[in-house]
Amino acid sequence: MGRSILIVEDEKEIRDLLAHYLRREGFSPTVAPDGETGWEKARTEKPELILLDILLPGMDGLELLRKIRTAPATSRIPVVMLTAKGDETDRIVGLELGADDYIPKPFSPREVVARIKAVIRRTVPAPGEAEKEEYVYGDLRMDVPRHEVLLRGKPVPLTPKEFRILQALLSSAGRVLSRETILARVWGEGTHVTDRTVDVHIAKIRQKIPFLADAIRTVKDVGYQIPER
């Protein structure tokens, strides 16, 4: 059986078309016609990736994305958003809520499949990082499989993007990561997110973990670094 993909889309023709192309590429798609059904399937089936339309009856795609990202059982599932709306605000909100990619309608089914493959590739740990399940930095401990960060034993509520940025910095301690590198690792190649988004997320990490306010160094005109310990 291929990798499972959940398609949450209210238009049957689009659901069937995407499912057809995904099966041809060896995936195992399941479908949901609305947000409530999509949430139930996301919780119970835990697919490898969710293809999520924004315009859904009842619970819309952004509301469903919030639920996916805040529930421990689903928070790490990659989500690719689909929308017919040209409003840039929806795209920005979706990315800030933790969407891994964003595809506007109309689209080519082949492009959707290619983007899905790209997201899955980049969510697999890089060589050398696969065995690393925990990072310890002073009083800070990051448990990657549990998606948990503890400071002196107390949990720190990081968003998925904040978690992945901190993981990138800790896994590269001692090295300077450019903003472009952080964007590629966390949002993926070809993202439309700007460098400023990285700065905003770093600022939030510093606020939530004052211990790291000075430890995360800003390297002017380059990026960020956490020194080795």
Side-chain angles (χ1 to χ4, degrees):
M1 181 177 292
R3 290 172 155 176
S4 59
I5 307 291
L6 173 59
I7 304 167
V8 187
E9 164 63 63
D10 62 324
E11 296 186 44
K12 185 178 186 303
E13 295 80 4
I14 295 178
R15 285 200 310 270
D16 292 347
L17 181 65
L18 290 171
H20 170 71
Y21 273 84
L22 286 166
R23 286 192 196 96
R24 278 178 39 174
E25 294 296 322
F27 292 99
S28 296
T30 58
V31 299
D34 53 63
E36 287 79 5
T37 306
W39 172 234
E40 182 63 25
K41 291 195 172 189
R43 282 192 315 108
T44 58
E45 298 178 8
K46 297 181 181 63
E48 185 151 359
L49 182 142
I50 298 172
L51 198 56
L52 176 59
D53 188 25
I54 281 186
L55 295 175
L56 294 171
M59 183 194 305
D60 68 21
L62 292 177
E63 185 180 351
L64 176 52
L65 179 59
R66 281 192 191 90
K67 292 174 76 72
I68 290 168
R69 285 291 174 253
T70 54
T74 57
S75 64
R76 300 184 68 195
I77 299 174
V79 177
V80 175
M81 303 293 292
L82 299 172
T83 182
K85 297 177 79 170
D87 189 352
E88 185 183 23
T89 301
D90 281 335
R91 178 170 61 83
I92 293 172
V93 171
L95 292 169
E96 291 299 323
L97 286 174
D100 293 89
D101 202 353
Y102 198 101
I103 305 174
K105 298 177 182 177
F107 50 74
S108 159
R110 291 187 179 88
E111 179 192 1
V112 175
V113 173
R115 300 275 278 271
I116 285 173
K117 288 180 178 179
V119 169
I120 289 175
R121 277 198 304 271
R122 74 172 183 256
T123 54
V124 174
E129 290 185 4
E131 300 79 24
K132 190 76 171 178
E133 296 190 343
E134 182 177 88
Y135 296 94
V136 178
Y137 196 84
D139 293 329
L140 186 78
R141 184 173 69 85
M142 170 179 277
D143 187 323
V144 177
R146 296 165 77 83
H147 208 264
E148 182 178 66
V149 174
L150 300 175
L151 180 61
R152 301 183 189 93
K154 295 183 179 180
V156 179
L158 298 182
T159 67
K161 289 292 190 290
E162 292 163 3
F163 184 93
R164 289 168 65 182
I165 289 173
L166 181 57
Q167 182 183 1
L169 290 169
L170 291 174
S171 68
S172 303
R175 289 184 287 153
V176 177
L177 293 185
S178 68
R179 290 174 176 82
E180 291 79 10
T181 297
I182 294 172
L183 284 171
R185 285 200 191 183
V186 177
W187 280 270
E189 299 286 351
T191 180
H192 299 294
V193 179
T194 65
D195 290 358
R196 174 62 182 157
T197 301
V198 175
D199 298 335
V200 170
H201 280 74
I202 292 287
K204 289 179 180 177
I205 292 170
R206 285 168 165 161
Q207 289 173 0
K208 292 180 178 181
I209 312 175
F211 162 71
L212 292 179
D214 294 326
I216 299 177
R217 297 175 180 171
T218 302
V219 181
K220 188 177 180 181
D221 299 327
V222 181
Y224 296 95
Q225 175 197 46
I226 285 185
E228 289 183 293
R229 282 205 164 197

